[in-house]
Amino acid sequence: MRNRLPGAALVTAAIVAVSLTPSAAVAAPPTAAEWISVATLLDQLRVEAPSTVKYDRDQFFEGADLDGDGCRTRQEVLLEETDIPATVTGVCTITAGQWLSYYDNVIHLDPAAVEMDHLVALKEAWVSGAWAWTDAQRQGYSNDVDDDRTLTMVTAAVNTAKADKDPASWLPSYRSIRCTYVSEWVAVKWRWNLSVDPAEKSALQTLLTDCGPHRDTWLPAAPTVGRPSAPPLPEPVAVHRFWSPVYQGHFFTTDLAERDQIIARWPGVWTYEGQRYTAFKTQVAGTIPLYRFWSNQYSGHFYTADPAERAAVIARWPNIWKEEGVAYYVYPANSPQPGTVTVARFWSLSAAHHFYTADAAERDAVIARWSRVWAHEGDSFRVPAAGIPAP
């Protein structure tokens, strides 16, 4: 039996009352030395945007019989979590028992009424780092019966509602158990070295604050397959810039094919100025999308990292500016990320174009020499400082 409840369980009235007989096999609680603050574990988790690598559930090899005793993972968890001796037929067919779905505080006697839930769903694990794991690590995670917190039996409908949501978008309906739920969430992520996204971490911090200053859990052990390493971060790529004396505007791209096509096909329209800075093709921790628009009317592009500005352009000028999607990923203008510099934005009323530069000397020269042509609008976003060529 796994006891997650803070006190006596409240059995839902719709369930037939039964005598609660604890299983004889109750694991001894960890010693005091093995307990650790949940907030400490949370602070040790990487904060990263979810991976955009395509999710493949088949790579988790669910339902294995890792110890070769004839019981697959679902049966192992059913046997572990029943509060009374289970009825077992054949090799490992479980036909009866008593399972408390702690998400909604409902007791079930029929194993068909409960489903095995990965507390941190497989898809959530994937986007948080499992995309880069070995096959053995993904199989170890999806069949992890060595830590009580990874897998649990819950009401089938509740499992469906939870799906792959994190605590920022889903919490158990049984409020008295929410502190346990978020504590176990953090422990599972720590055990498997998974990241949290910014919204997820913020939600967890708020929930743990409400749980009180001394919320502890027992320190997770390293999985038998080894604690996975953090996935490698993608390297920033070059952002190339063109200038058009015809249109009096600039064009930026990270796409080498697009760059080469422009150089080959329109040399009289666009002058290639080389790499101007670097950015990320995929989203990494702390970055946000930079959106690109094209205007046939102005024969130029417009870039913004401000969601409100993007929404306003889409809503107010749909016939002038066509959104082309995410150009690349950058850091917000107010980001404290070390090793970055700001990208200044200018607007020219006469040219009807924006101008962007990560070069402080170029920015200052434009302000000093062409202030009547280019109005300085301030810092638009930040990019890695290492990617800016010498003047």
Side-chain angles (χ1 to χ4, degrees), residues 213-247:
H214 304 296
R215 188 72 192 182
D216 295 340
T217 191
W218 68 91
L219 182 65
T224 55
V225 292
R227 191 164 183 250
S229 301
L233 289 176
E235 292 293 326
V237 298
V239 176
H240 304 277
R241 191 173 83 179
F242 291 82
W243 163 255
S244 174
V246 177
Y247 301 129

mmCIF file of all heavy atoms in Angstrom, residues 213-247:
data_model
loop_
_atom_site.group_PDB
_atom_site.id
_atom_site.type_symbol
_atom_site.label_atom_id
_atom_site.label_comp_id
_atom_site.label_asym_id
_atom_site.label_seq_id
_atom_site.Cartn_x
_atom_site.Cartn_y
_atom_site.Cartn_z
ATOM 1 N N PRO A 213 6.197 26.686 4.589
ATOM 2 C CA PRO A 213 7.639 26.859 4.397
ATOM 3 C C PRO A 213 8.463 25.589 4.561
ATOM 4 O O PRO A 213 9.637 25.578 4.220
ATOM 5 C CB PRO A 213 8.004 27.887 5.480
ATOM 6 C CG PRO A 213 7.002 27.643 6.568
ATOM 7 C CD PRO A 213 5.729 27.262 5.858
ATOM 8 N N HIS A 214 7.896 24.531 5.094
ATOM 9 C CA HIS A 214 8.697 23.342 5.395
ATOM 10 C C HIS A 214 8.164 22.111 4.675
ATOM 11 O O HIS A 214 8.038 21.040 5.263
ATOM 12 C CB HIS A 214 8.738 23.093 6.900
ATOM 13 C CG HIS A 214 9.253 24.273 7.677
ATOM 14 N ND1 HIS A 214 10.544 24.742 7.543
ATOM 15 C CD2 HIS A 214 8.636 25.089 8.569
ATOM 16 C CE1 HIS A 214 10.711 25.802 8.331
ATOM 17 N NE2 HIS A 214 9.568 26.036 8.966
ATOM 18 N N ARG A 215 7.858 22.265 3.399
ATOM 19 C CA ARG A 215 7.362 21.130 2.619
ATOM 20 C C ARG A 215 8.541 20.282 2.169
ATOM 21 O O ARG A 215 9.389 20.716 1.397
ATOM 22 C CB ARG A 215 6.590 21.625 1.404
ATOM 23 C CG ARG A 215 5.886 20.504 0.638
ATOM 24 C CD ARG A 215 4.706 19.981 1.421
ATOM 25 N NE ARG A 215 4.191 18.740 0.858
ATOM 26 C CZ ARG A 215 3.130 18.104 1.339
ATOM 27 N NH1 ARG A 215 2.479 18.594 2.382
ATOM 28 N NH2 ARG A 215 2.718 16.974 0.808
ATOM 29 N N ASP A 216 8.620 19.061 2.673
ATOM 30 C CA ASP A 216 9.742 18.177 2.378
ATOM 31 C C ASP A 216 9.270 16.928 1.643
ATOM 32 O O ASP A 216 8.087 16.573 1.646
ATOM 33 C CB ASP A 216 10.462 17.742 3.661
ATOM 34 C CG ASP A 216 11.128 18.899 4.380
ATOM 35 O OD1 ASP A 216 11.362 19.943 3.737
ATOM 36 O OD2 ASP A 216 11.391 18.763 5.584
ATOM 37 N N THR A 217 10.209 16.260 1.007
ATOM 38 C CA THR A 217 9.977 14.963 0.400
ATOM 39 C C THR A 217 11.248 14.155 0.542
ATOM 40 O O THR A 217 12.308 14.707 0.866
ATOM 41 C CB THR A 217 9.582 15.101 -1.088
ATOM 42 O OG1 THR A 217 9.126 13.841 -1.577
ATOM 43 C CG2 THR A 217 10.750 15.579 -1.929
ATOM 44 N N TRP A 218 11.150 12.834 0.342
ATOM 45 C CA TRP A 218 12.389 12.079 0.462
ATOM 46 C C TRP A 218 13.181 12.193 -0.834
ATOM 47 O O TRP A 218 12.638 12.263 -1.929
ATOM 48 C CB TRP A 218 12.128 10.636 0.858
ATOM 49 C CG TRP A 218 11.438 9.757 -0.147
ATOM 50 C CD1 TRP A 218 12.007 8.985 -1.091
ATOM 51 C CD2 TRP A 218 10.026 9.554 -0.260
ATOM 52 N NE1 TRP A 218 11.066 8.311 -1.807
ATOM 53 C CE2 TRP A 218 9.819 8.634 -1.315
ATOM 54 C CE3 TRP A 218 8.908 10.041 0.424
ATOM 55 C CZ2 TRP A 218 8.565 8.208 -1.704
ATOM 56 C CZ3 TRP A 218 7.659 9.618 0.026
ATOM 57 C CH2 TRP A 218 7.492 8.719 -1.003
ATOM 58 N N LEU A 219 14.492 12.250 -0.689
ATOM 59 C CA LEU A 219 15.385 12.482 -1.810
ATOM 60 C C LEU A 219 15.307 11.333 -2.800
ATOM 61 O O LEU A 219 15.545 10.179 -2.436
ATOM 62 C CB LEU A 219 16.821 12.646 -1.318
ATOM 63 C CG LEU A 219 17.875 12.947 -2.388
ATOM 64 C CD1 LEU A 219 17.612 14.317 -3.017
ATOM 65 C CD2 LEU A 219 19.274 12.898 -1.782
ATOM 66 N N PRO A 220 14.982 11.604 -4.056
ATOM 67 C CA PRO A 220 14.897 10.515 -5.033
ATOM 68 C C PRO A 220 16.269 9.894 -5.299
ATOM 69 O O PRO A 220 17.287 10.595 -5.330
ATOM 70 C CB PRO A 220 14.369 11.203 -6.295
ATOM 71 C CG PRO A 220 13.792 12.506 -5.827
ATOM 72 C CD PRO A 220 14.609 12.900 -4.632
ATOM 73 N N ALA A 221 16.268 8.584 -5.476
ATOM 74 C CA ALA A 221 17.501 7.893 -5.846
ATOM 75 C C ALA A 221 17.682 7.952 -7.352
ATOM 76 O O ALA A 221 16.725 8.151 -8.101
ATOM 77 C CB ALA A 221 17.434 6.440 -5.375
ATOM 78 N N ALA A 222 18.907 7.768 -7.799
ATOM 79 C CA ALA A 222 19.153 7.718 -9.242
ATOM 80 C C ALA A 222 18.503 6.469 -9.822
ATOM 81 O O ALA A 222 18.523 5.408 -9.200
ATOM 82 C CB ALA A 222 20.654 7.704 -9.518
ATOM 83 N N PRO A 223 17.885 6.562 -10.988
ATOM 84 C CA PRO A 223 17.286 5.377 -11.617
ATOM 85 C C PRO A 223 18.336 4.307 -11.893
ATOM 86 O O PRO A 223 19.531 4.608 -12.015
ATOM 87 C CB PRO A 223 16.702 5.922 -12.930
ATOM 88 C CG PRO A 223 16.611 7.404 -12.742
ATOM 89 C CD PRO A 223 17.714 7.770 -11.811
ATOM 90 N N THR A 224 17.886 3.064 -11.993
ATOM 91 C CA THR A 224 18.817 1.965 -12.244
ATOM 92 C C THR A 224 19.503 2.101 -13.600
ATOM 93 O O THR A 224 20.606 1.571 -13.793
ATOM 94 C CB THR A 224 18.080 0.614 -12.192
ATOM 95 O OG1 THR A 224 16.986 0.648 -13.115
ATOM 96 C CG2 THR A 224 17.556 0.338 -10.789
ATOM 97 N N VAL A 225 18.882 2.802 -14.547
ATOM 98 C CA VAL A 225 19.498 3.008 -15.859
ATOM 99 C C VAL A 225 20.441 4.210 -15.860
ATOM 100 O O VAL A 225 21.023 4.546 -16.885
ATOM 101 C CB VAL A 225 18.424 3.212 -16.944
ATOM 102 C CG1 VAL A 225 17.651 1.940 -17.178
ATOM 103 C CG2 VAL A 225 17.484 4.359 -16.566
ATOM 104 N N GLY A 226 20.562 4.855 -14.706
ATOM 105 C CA GLY A 226 21.406 6.041 -14.623
ATOM 106 C C GLY A 226 20.602 7.307 -14.808
ATOM 107 O O GLY A 226 19.680 7.354 -15.617
ATOM 108 N N ARG A 227 20.931 8.326 -14.044
ATOM 109 C CA ARG A 227 20.219 9.600 -14.161
ATOM 110 C C ARG A 227 20.614 10.266 -15.473
ATOM 111 O O ARG A 227 21.801 10.498 -15.728
ATOM 112 C CB ARG A 227 20.562 10.490 -12.971
ATOM 113 C CG ARG A 227 19.680 11.738 -12.855
ATOM 114 C CD ARG A 227 19.805 12.355 -11.481
ATOM 115 N NE ARG A 227 18.918 13.494 -11.328
ATOM 116 C CZ ARG A 227 19.337 14.760 -11.252
ATOM 117 N NH1 ARG A 227 20.627 15.036 -11.330
ATOM 118 N NH2 ARG A 227 18.469 15.741 -11.096
ATOM 119 N N PRO A 228 19.648 10.578 -16.328
ATOM 120 C CA PRO A 228 19.985 11.143 -17.639
ATOM 121 C C PRO A 228 20.713 12.481 -17.520
ATOM 122 O O PRO A 228 20.503 13.253 -16.576
ATOM 123 C CB PRO A 228 18.625 11.327 -18.318
ATOM 124 C CG PRO A 228 17.710 10.379 -17.603
ATOM 125 C CD PRO A 228 18.201 10.345 -16.184
ATOM 126 N N SER A 229 21.576 12.744 -18.477
ATOM 127 C CA SER A 229 22.249 14.033 -18.555
ATOM 128 C C SER A 229 21.312 15.058 -19.178
ATOM 129 O O SER A 229 20.333 14.703 -19.843
ATOM 130 C CB SER A 229 23.521 13.921 -19.400
ATOM 131 O OG SER A 229 24.409 12.969 -18.864
ATOM 132 N N ALA A 230 21.612 16.312 -18.950
ATOM 133 C CA ALA A 230 20.825 17.371 -19.590
ATOM 134 C C ALA A 230 21.059 17.330 -21.094
ATOM 135 O O ALA A 230 22.184 17.110 -21.545
ATOM 136 C CB ALA A 230 21.235 18.730 -19.031
ATOM 137 N N PRO A 231 20.005 17.507 -21.884
ATOM 138 C CA PRO A 231 20.180 17.512 -23.345
ATOM 139 C C PRO A 231 21.104 18.647 -23.776
ATOM 140 O O PRO A 231 21.139 19.707 -23.140
ATOM 141 C CB PRO A 231 18.762 17.730 -23.885
ATOM 142 C CG PRO A 231 17.856 17.398 -22.753
ATOM 143 C CD PRO A 231 18.609 17.717 -21.512
ATOM 144 N N PRO A 232 21.858 18.444 -24.828
ATOM 145 C CA PRO A 232 22.730 19.528 -25.310
ATOM 146 C C PRO A 232 21.898 20.689 -25.831
ATOM 147 O O PRO A 232 20.884 20.489 -26.493
ATOM 148 C CB PRO A 232 23.527 18.862 -26.445
ATOM 149 C CG PRO A 232 22.647 17.736 -26.905
ATOM 150 C CD PRO A 232 21.930 17.247 -25.674
ATOM 151 N N LEU A 233 22.328 21.894 -25.501
ATOM 152 C CA LEU A 233 21.629 23.073 -25.994
ATOM 153 C C LEU A 233 22.033 23.336 -27.443
ATOM 154 O O LEU A 233 23.202 23.165 -27.804
ATOM 155 C CB LEU A 233 21.961 24.294 -25.140
ATOM 156 C CG LEU A 233 21.379 24.325 -23.733
ATOM 157 C CD1 LEU A 233 21.884 25.553 -22.993
ATOM 158 C CD2 LEU A 233 19.869 24.322 -23.772
ATOM 159 N N PRO A 234 21.105 23.728 -28.278
ATOM 160 C CA PRO A 234 21.468 24.052 -29.667
ATOM 161 C C PRO A 234 22.348 25.291 -29.724
ATOM 162 O O PRO A 234 22.219 26.206 -28.908
ATOM 163 C CB PRO A 234 20.103 24.301 -30.329
ATOM 164 C CG PRO A 234 19.195 24.687 -29.208
ATOM 165 C CD PRO A 234 19.673 23.925 -28.009
ATOM 166 N N GLU A 235 23.246 25.297 -30.674
ATOM 167 C CA GLU A 235 24.108 26.454 -30.871
ATOM 168 C C GLU A 235 23.339 27.537 -31.636
ATOM 169 O O GLU A 235 22.520 27.230 -32.504
ATOM 170 C CB GLU A 235 25.352 26.054 -31.652
ATOM 171 C CG GLU A 235 26.297 25.135 -30.895
ATOM 172 C CD GLU A 235 26.950 25.833 -29.709
ATOM 173 O OE1 GLU A 235 27.211 27.052 -29.814
ATOM 174 O OE2 GLU A 235 27.174 25.173 -28.685
ATOM 175 N N PRO A 236 23.602 28.797 -31.326
ATOM 176 C CA PRO A 236 22.961 29.857 -32.116
ATOM 177 C C PRO A 236 23.478 29.841 -33.552
ATOM 178 O O PRO A 236 24.585 29.377 -33.827
ATOM 179 C CB PRO A 236 23.361 31.138 -31.380
ATOM 180 C CG PRO A 236 24.598 30.780 -30.619
ATOM 181 C CD PRO A 236 24.458 29.333 -30.259
ATOM 182 N N VAL A 237 22.653 30.324 -34.454
ATOM 183 C CA VAL A 237 23.023 30.369 -35.867
ATOM 184 C C VAL A 237 23.159 31.816 -36.310
ATOM 185 O O VAL A 237 22.663 32.741 -35.659
ATOM 186 C CB VAL A 237 21.970 29.646 -36.734
ATOM 187 C CG1 VAL A 237 21.888 28.183 -36.366
ATOM 188 C CG2 VAL A 237 20.599 30.311 -36.604
ATOM 189 N N ALA A 238 23.833 32.003 -37.428
ATOM 190 C CA ALA A 238 24.067 33.344 -37.944
ATOM 191 C C ALA A 238 22.783 33.962 -38.477
ATOM 192 O O ALA A 238 21.975 33.295 -39.124
ATOM 193 C CB ALA A 238 25.112 33.297 -39.048
ATOM 194 N N VAL A 239 22.604 35.235 -38.188
ATOM 195 C CA VAL A 239 21.520 36.023 -38.774
ATOM 196 C C VAL A 239 22.151 36.925 -39.831
ATOM 197 O O VAL A 239 22.996 37.771 -39.518
ATOM 198 C CB VAL A 239 20.788 36.862 -37.716
ATOM 199 C CG1 VAL A 239 19.717 37.739 -38.374
ATOM 200 C CG2 VAL A 239 20.158 35.963 -36.662
ATOM 201 N N HIS A 240 21.772 36.729 -41.077
ATOM 202 C CA HIS A 240 22.350 37.457 -42.202
ATOM 203 C C HIS A 240 21.486 38.669 -42.551
ATOM 204 O O HIS A 240 20.263 38.617 -42.472
ATOM 205 C CB HIS A 240 22.465 36.528 -43.414
ATOM 206 C CG HIS A 240 23.245 35.280 -43.133
ATOM 207 N ND1 HIS A 240 24.620 35.238 -43.185
ATOM 208 C CD2 HIS A 240 22.849 34.035 -42.758
ATOM 209 C CE1 HIS A 240 25.035 34.025 -42.869
ATOM 210 N NE2 HIS A 240 23.977 33.275 -42.608
ATOM 211 N N ARG A 241 22.155 39.752 -42.982
ATOM 212 C CA ARG A 241 21.431 40.991 -43.269
ATOM 213 C C ARG A 241 21.697 41.476 -44.693
ATOM 214 O O ARG A 241 22.817 41.385 -45.192
ATOM 215 C CB ARG A 241 21.828 42.084 -42.269
ATOM 216 C CG ARG A 241 20.936 43.321 -42.313
ATOM 217 C CD ARG A 241 21.264 44.294 -41.197
ATOM 218 N NE ARG A 241 22.394 45.163 -41.521
ATOM 219 C CZ ARG A 241 22.861 46.122 -40.710
ATOM 220 N NH1 ARG A 241 22.301 46.288 -39.517
ATOM 221 N NH2 ARG A 241 23.873 46.862 -41.074
ATOM 222 N N PHE A 242 20.638 41.957 -45.315
ATOM 223 C CA PHE A 242 20.714 42.576 -46.634
ATOM 224 C C PHE A 242 20.231 44.022 -46.519
ATOM 225 O O PHE A 242 19.391 44.345 -45.663
ATOM 226 C CB PHE A 242 19.821 41.841 -47.634
ATOM 227 C CG PHE A 242 20.282 40.460 -47.999
ATOM 228 C CD1 PHE A 242 20.000 39.383 -47.174
ATOM 229 C CD2 PHE A 242 20.990 40.238 -49.170
ATOM 230 C CE1 PHE A 242 20.414 38.101 -47.511
ATOM 231 C CE2 PHE A 242 21.407 38.959 -49.522
ATOM 232 C CZ PHE A 242 21.117 37.895 -48.687
ATOM 233 N N TRP A 243 20.731 44.869 -47.420
ATOM 234 C CA TRP A 243 20.240 46.247 -47.540
ATOM 235 C C TRP A 243 19.770 46.460 -48.973
ATOM 236 O O TRP A 243 20.431 46.036 -49.931
ATOM 237 C CB TRP A 243 21.325 47.249 -47.203
ATOM 238 C CG TRP A 243 21.036 48.649 -47.694
ATOM 239 C CD1 TRP A 243 21.593 49.303 -48.742
ATOM 240 C CD2 TRP A 243 20.071 49.549 -47.150
ATOM 241 N NE1 TRP A 243 21.062 50.553 -48.908
ATOM 242 C CE2 TRP A 243 20.113 50.731 -47.922
ATOM 243 C CE3 TRP A 243 19.179 49.480 -46.085
ATOM 244 C CZ2 TRP A 243 19.292 51.829 -47.674
ATOM 245 C CZ3 TRP A 243 18.359 50.575 -45.835
ATOM 246 C CH2 TRP A 243 18.425 51.741 -46.624
ATOM 247 N N SER A 244 18.618 47.114 -49.114
ATOM 248 C CA SER A 244 18.094 47.415 -50.444
ATOM 249 C C SER A 244 18.051 48.922 -50.663
ATOM 250 O O SER A 244 17.240 49.619 -50.024
ATOM 251 C CB SER A 244 16.684 46.850 -50.623
ATOM 252 O OG SER A 244 16.142 47.274 -51.864
ATOM 253 N N PRO A 245 18.900 49.447 -51.567
ATOM 254 C CA PRO A 245 18.796 50.873 -51.893
ATOM 255 C C PRO A 245 17.526 51.192 -52.672
ATOM 256 O O PRO A 245 17.088 52.341 -52.720
ATOM 257 C CB PRO A 245 20.048 51.117 -52.755
ATOM 258 C CG PRO A 245 20.394 49.778 -53.317
ATOM 259 C CD PRO A 245 19.980 48.772 -52.290
ATOM 260 N N VAL A 246 16.931 50.149 -53.246
ATOM 261 C CA VAL A 246 15.684 50.334 -53.986
ATOM 262 C C VAL A 246 14.522 50.570 -53.028
ATOM 263 O O VAL A 246 13.720 51.492 -53.204
ATOM 264 C CB VAL A 246 15.396 49.114 -54.887
ATOM 265 C CG1 VAL A 246 14.048 49.283 -55.592
ATOM 266 C CG2 VAL A 246 16.520 48.908 -55.881
ATOM 267 N N TYR A 247 14.423 49.710 -52.002
ATOM 268 C CA TYR A 247 13.311 49.789 -51.052
ATOM 269 C C TYR A 247 13.655 50.549 -49.770
ATOM 270 O O TYR A 247 12.784 50.772 -48.936
ATOM 271 C CB TYR A 247 12.851 48.383 -50.673
ATOM 272 C CG TYR A 247 12.389 47.557 -51.847
ATOM 273 C CD1 TYR A 247 12.889 46.272 -52.062
ATOM 274 C CD2 TYR A 247 11.451 48.048 -52.749
ATOM 275 C CE1 TYR A 247 12.474 45.502 -53.141
ATOM 276 C CE2 TYR A 247 11.022 47.289 -53.830
ATOM 277 C CZ TYR A 247 11.541 46.017 -54.020
ATOM 278 O OH TYR A 247 11.128 45.258 -55.085
#
